Structures are given as C-alpha cells and as structure tokens.
Amino acid sequence: LRRGPAPALPPAPSVKRRFFMRWRDEWTQLRTLMKRSFMSKLRNRANLLITIGVAPVLALLIATILRYSERGEYDYASAYHIPTFLFLSLIVAMFLGLTNSADDIIRDRAVLQRERNLNVRLPYYVFSKFMSLGFFAVVQCVLFVLIGNYILEIRGMFWVDLGIMFMTAMGGVALGLVVSCLVADPKTASNIVPLVLIPQII
C-alpha cells in the first residue's frame, strides 16, 4: 500500500463564550429570595399587625403628650417641644428598625443551612431581607409622620421628616441584621437590642 498524506483534522466546533454569570438565573434567584422574604413577613398575621400598628400608636402617644399646654390651648408658634418630637421620632425609627430585623436571620438559619449546597448567593439573601424590611420601615415611618405632624400641626415638613426617619430606620435595620447574624437565639437578640439602642440615644 502506498502511504498517502494524513487527512486534515476537522475544524474545531465553535464554542460560544458564555458570560461568567448567567444573568437570567441570577435574577430568578434574587426574585425568588425577595418573594420569599416578603411572604414570610405577610404570612405571620400577628407579627404583621404589630409591625404596622405600633407606629401609629407611638405617634399618637408622643404627639398627644407633647401637645399638652398649661394654658389649655395648643399653639404651634409657641411650641418649644418640636425639637423633642423630632428627637423622639428618630429614637422610634431606630427602635422599629432594630426590632423588625433583630431575629430575622435567626428564623431562617435552618433554611440557609439546607440551601448551602444549592449555591444560593448570600449577598442576594441579605439584599432581599434589606429590601423587604425597608418596605415595612417606609410604611411605619409614613404612618408615624402623618399622625404626629397632624396632631402637632406641623406643616411643610413631611418629606424632610420622612427622609430622616427612613434613613434612621434603615440604620436600625442594618444593625438588627448584624445582631441577628451574631447570635443564635431570638431571646438573646431581643436582649441585645437595648444595648444597641441606648448608645444611639446618647
């Protein structure tokens, strides 16, 4: 047999370069975590009722007490307690943010341990918690500012008060999530909340 030249190799199959992150899968995971975070808050009716109801009650209590006047009639022009109301508003915002988030990760710890093998991204989980708690913080701040400003006849400061209260509440949410990461028991988390809140007041 005459040995001929070796046949040429077939061309290599064209491989499409894929992105490092599959954006659709990432978005599906983030959306699922956010939906689960919101649903876990909405399913607990008693906790949801307390979360929504505590802000109007505190606003009514604080504003009613600060509306007291020795003359028997309230006048905003001579109301020197308005800085006190603003200060108490920030304390309430920090308190609500802390109490809403102090035990949030603790309740999900068993689920997180089961999902470690499913490549669930931790930043997405934290972001979904932050967004869901931020939504309820907005609702609480809006109710508090509306009722408090109405009783004390504060006009033209709604958006400023709401913005400052919301930023403070989100700071409380972040601190509460840190507490929830560090402890393993909801009772311990609730006991740590005053240790975090009182230095903020000072």
Side-chain angles (χ1 to χ4, degrees):
L1 296 174
R2 189 171 59 182
R3 183 174 298 178
L9 294 174
S14 60
V15 179
K16 293 183 178 180
R17 297 186 118 191
R18 304 179 67 184
F19 287 107
F20 179 72
M21 296 174 64
R22 295 174 295 182
W23 294 108
R24 185 169 183 177
D25 294 343
E26 300 293 326
W27 166 247
T28 302
Q29 187 178 133
L30 176 61
R31 184 180 59 191
T32 303
L33 289 172
M34 290 185 67
K35 182 178 178 181
R36 188 174 71 182
S37 183
F38 274 99
M39 292 305 295
S40 66
K41 282 287 186 183
L42 295 176
R43 282 196 188 104
N44 193 344
R45 298 295 177 85
N47 189 23
L48 180 64
L49 184 63
I50 293 173
T51 300
I52 301 300
V54 68
V57 171
L58 290 175
L60 186 65
L61 179 65
I62 293 172
T64 304
I65 292 175
L66 294 180
R67 191 182 168 88
Y68 171 76
S69 175
E70 294 181 355
R71 297 180 301 170
E73 56 182 20
Y74 174 78
D75 182 21
Y76 175 77
S78 60
Y80 296 106
H81 52 266
I82 298 301
T84 305
F85 173 73
L86 298 177
F87 177 69
L88 291 175
S89 301
L90 298 184
I91 294 176
V92 168
M94 179 66 68
F95 171 75
L96 294 177
L98 278 168
T99 54
N100 288 344
S101 59
D103 62 342
D104 230 44
I105 297 178
I106 296 173
R107 288 187 276 110
D108 291 346
R109 189 156 292 172
V111 178
L112 288 174
Q113 289 176 352
R114 287 198 302 266
E115 291 179 346
R116 288 180 67 180
N117 297 327
L118 299 177
N119 198 23
V120 175
R121 298 188 180 276
L122 189 60
Y124 292 171
Y125 172 79
V126 175
F127 180 76
S128 64
K129 284 291 180 185
F130 205 69
M131 290 298 292
S132 62
L133 292 168
F135 173 78
F136 290 104
V138 167
V139 175
Q140 289 175 324
C141 292
V142 167
L143 293 175
F144 186 93
V145 173
L146 281 176
I147 295 175
N149 286 9
Y150 175 76
I151 294 176
L152 293 177
E153 301 176 7
I154 302 174
R155 299 182 181 89
M157 291 182 60
F158 173 78
W159 294 109
V160 176
D161 293 347
L162 179 62
I164 296 173
M165 274 198 73
F166 176 67
M167 287 190 291
T168 308
M170 294 310 291
V173 167
L175 287 174
L177 290 177
V178 171
V179 171
S180 188
C181 291
L182 296 177
V183 300
D185 184 41
K187 188 174 182 180
T188 306
S190 61
N191 290 334
I192 291 177
V193 166
L195 297 178
V196 179
L197 181 62
I198 290 174
Q200 304 298 320
I201 298 173
I202 295 174

